Amino acid sequence: MGRNIKYYRIISSGAFMVSACIIMMLCIAGCTSTNEDDKHTVFNINLEDGLTSLDPAFARNQNALWMDNQIYNGLVQINDSLKSVPCIARSWDVSADGLQYTFHLRNDVFFHDDPLFPGGKGRRCVAADFVYSFGRLIDPKVASSGSWIFSDKVSGKQAFIAQNDNTFIIKLKQPFPPLLSLLTAQYCSVVPHEVVEHYGKDFRSHPVGTGPFKFKYWKEREVLVLLKNEHYWEKDSAGHALPYLDAIKAGFISDKQTAFMEFIKGDLDFFNGIDGSYRDDILTKSGQLTSKYRGKFIMNIRPYLNTEYLGILIDTNINIVKRSPLKLLKIRQAINYAIDKQKMTKYLRNSIGTPGYAGFVPQGMPGFDGGQVHGYTYDPEKTRRLLAEAGFPNGHGLPEIALNTTTTYRDLIEYIQGELERVNIKTRVEVTQGASLRELIAKNGVNFFRGSWIADYPDGENYLSVFYSKNKIPFGPNYTGFNNKEFDRLFEQTYRVKNDSARYALYRKMDNLVMSQAPVVVLYYDKLVNLYQNNIGGYPKNAQNLLVLKRVRKGI
């Protein structure tokens, strides 16, 4: 392409080492030519849990959300205050009955360059692309993990209409007040039909979007490289083109302690979360940075829309439930009362998190009220009484229960195992690789498991949808098999409530109903801990922990 070959460090030593010839190839293909090497800025991160797809239709975990947010755009996006703001849609109108949303699109948004477009140049994104993308999301043949977000909201693909290139319409079956929040989910990203249809399932590793960064290279479990989209449409408040960075490089070190050492050495610019193996080295028990690291990097701690919990499969139509004592409500409630969450949060999390004494909807979510949603406090005497009432006095005759987790959360689960042991509830911890456990959970293959629910969009409905009967597997994320007619009635009633306060009151009522049936053990409402090198600026501060890199600067 007639560009000078420049070498700059995308991959560091050790676990991040990739051959120099690949680096040079990337620079030839995608780096802006300049005589000033220090203008080249690469943001280095680690994705310890791996990455299964770059197709936004399968953006079901944090790493996928993070990377998809760099490659794609949607109609709307969230700001750091969790408000829905314009993206490809510059404005929108809502009909008086709440059944039709009309989006007016920008005319300066283009897909990334790709050989499948005429002349290899990315074409303009138009309303028909959203018709295709949303229709694909709900297509059973695609089997998107995000198809559930339009569940009960539209009557098929005909609900998505391109009135013209600049006007996109969504027609709902019934009102759904949180629709704009829902549309900020990465599932709702726009994709080009030419590229998707050409690659089919392999679009997962050949992504093309309209976002601030474009795909360059992915060697699975080793390295992922995204390059700056030189034709990106967004500008900053001063009129300067975004993004500021030239590239993003992601590695895949699975051991968090090893990855943390890479951060301390300066080979990573960003680090998410603090693992138990080195937490005490960094944080005091009250959650403050220890003197050893004070001033060495930036630590950003804030509320995080993430509920950490134990999930319990309760659908008695499933064989493994029929044979499990967890099918009994009093056993599930006994487990809830047996865990000292305050001590767990202080000593295993160094106070990074809030004990889960309320419902499934986390602290920090609009409408959250811990005084009106009643979860479970620590009360081992209640546990003992419930065990006796269930027919297992002092735990006698109660079968051993398998509790499934991943290596990352082993210390947490072993703490829970010890708490349950004190009240004579015997458990067996089974440790499984992350992707394998997610697959088992998604197929109702385990009775009792550690889980987390990170907000797809900032509305309590997103959390409560986990218990809606029509979202049971394989149609959605109801991994516990929860089925309650009153809950479903209230869930559907919220669609018709425009007033936020009234809708939040219904959310709390539904959350209380879930807690009374105990299909989950709410452990804690998370706080995010993001670490940045001192030369990084413009980093995001949203409670979804959504990685937004288009305004990040390096070398400040």
Side-chain angles (χ1 to χ4, degrees), residues 79-117:
N79 61 18
D80 278 352
S81 299
L82 302 182
K83 301 293 185 183
S84 298
V85 297
C87 192
I88 295 178
R90 54 181 172 79
S91 63
W92 49 86
D93 306 307
V94 184
S95 63
D97 60 8
L99 295 177
Q100 179 168 305
Y101 285 68
T102 302
F103 295 91
H104 309 287
L105 308 186
R106 301 178 62 96
N107 59 12
D108 59 351
V109 180
F110 291 80
F111 287 108
H112 303 151
D113 292 348
D114 189 90
L116 292 171
F117 295 127

Side-chain angles (χ1 to χ4, degrees), residues 165-405:
D165 283 355
N166 298 325
T167 310
F168 174 63
I169 296 171
I170 299 177
K171 290 191 173 183
L172 301 178
K173 288 168 55 177
Q174 54 196 349
F176 183 67
L179 183 69
L180 289 175
S181 288
L182 178 148
L183 292 174
T184 65
Q186 299 305 307
Y187 288 128
C188 299
S189 302
V190 67
V191 296
H193 66 88
E194 305 96 320
V195 181
V196 176
E197 290 171 359
H198 176 81
Y199 285 108
K201 291 183 178 180
D202 287 337
F203 181 66
R204 62 179 288 279
S205 56
H206 295 84
V208 172
T210 63
F213 296 92
K214 59 189 179 182
F215 175 78
K216 179 59 188 177
Y217 179 79
W218 181 18
K219 186 171 184 181
E220 296 194 38
R221 295 182 295 279
E222 291 192 22
V223 64
L224 168 70
V225 177
L226 307 179
L227 300 180
K228 176 178 184 174
N229 175 10
E230 301 91 340
H231 309 298
Y232 189 55
W233 57 274
E234 270 190 287
K235 293 178 171 56
D236 65 16
S237 58
H240 300 133
L242 298 175
Y244 305 126
L245 297 168
D246 290 305
I248 299 167
K249 178 259 153 188
F252 297 91
I253 299 176
S254 59
D255 181 69
K256 289 205 77 166
Q257 189 164 17
T258 302
F260 178 68
M261 294 311 300
E262 293 291 320
F263 176 77
I264 294 300
K265 288 191 298 183
D267 292 333
L268 291 174
D269 295 302
F270 164 78
F271 195 78
N272 179 66
I274 297 178
D275 189 66
S277 59
Y278 53 87
R279 187 178 290 118
D280 290 337
D281 189 42
I282 302 174
L283 296 175
T284 65
K285 291 302 181 186
S286 61
Q288 303 300 310
L289 201 61
T290 58
S291 57
K292 176 180 179 180
Y293 290 109
R294 206 165 294 146
K296 299 292 179 64
F297 48 76
I298 299 164
M299 183 171 72
N300 176 25
I301 299 179
R302 57 193 308 109
Y304 180 20
L305 297 183
N306 175 32
T307 297
E308 292 286 336
Y309 68 98
L310 304 178
I312 304 172
L313 188 59
I314 65 172
D315 185 349
T316 53
N317 293 312
I318 300 171
N319 282 333
I320 61 171
V321 177
K322 292 176 182 177
R323 302 190 299 268
S324 170
L326 295 172
K327 67 184 177 184
L328 302 174
L329 173 60
K330 289 184 177 181
I331 297 297
R332 302 195 299 270
Q333 291 174 328
I335 290 171
N336 268 278
Y337 282 119
I339 300 167
D340 188 339
K341 301 170 188 176
Q342 185 76 42
K343 185 170 71 173
M344 176 189 71
T345 305
K346 182 176 181 179
Y347 291 103
L348 272 75
R349 299 282 304 165
N350 293 64
S351 302
I352 302 300
T354 303
Y357 293 141
F360 194 69
V361 177
Q363 188 175 37
M365 181 68 78
F368 175 89
D369 188 335
Q372 294 190 47
V373 180
H374 308 294
Y376 295 85
T377 55
Y378 179 52
D379 194 335
E381 287 308 311
K382 276 191 179 179
T383 293
R384 294 184 179 93
R385 187 170 70 248
L386 286 163
L387 286 175
E389 291 173 1
F392 304 101
N394 205 29
H396 293 310
L398 184 66
E400 183 181 65
I401 302 168
L403 176 50
N404 294 263
T405 188

Side-chain angles (χ1 to χ4, degrees), residues 428-460:
R428 180 179 71 257
V429 175
E430 296 188 353
V431 180
T432 309
Q433 192 270 339
S436 299
L437 182 55
R438 286 193 294 271
E439 190 71 17
L440 282 169
I441 294 168
K443 291 181 177 178
N444 288 150
V446 289
N447 274 316
F448 197 23
F449 57 89
R450 189 218 66 89
S452 63
W453 188 263
I454 302 169
D456 293 292
Y457 47 93
D459 191 276

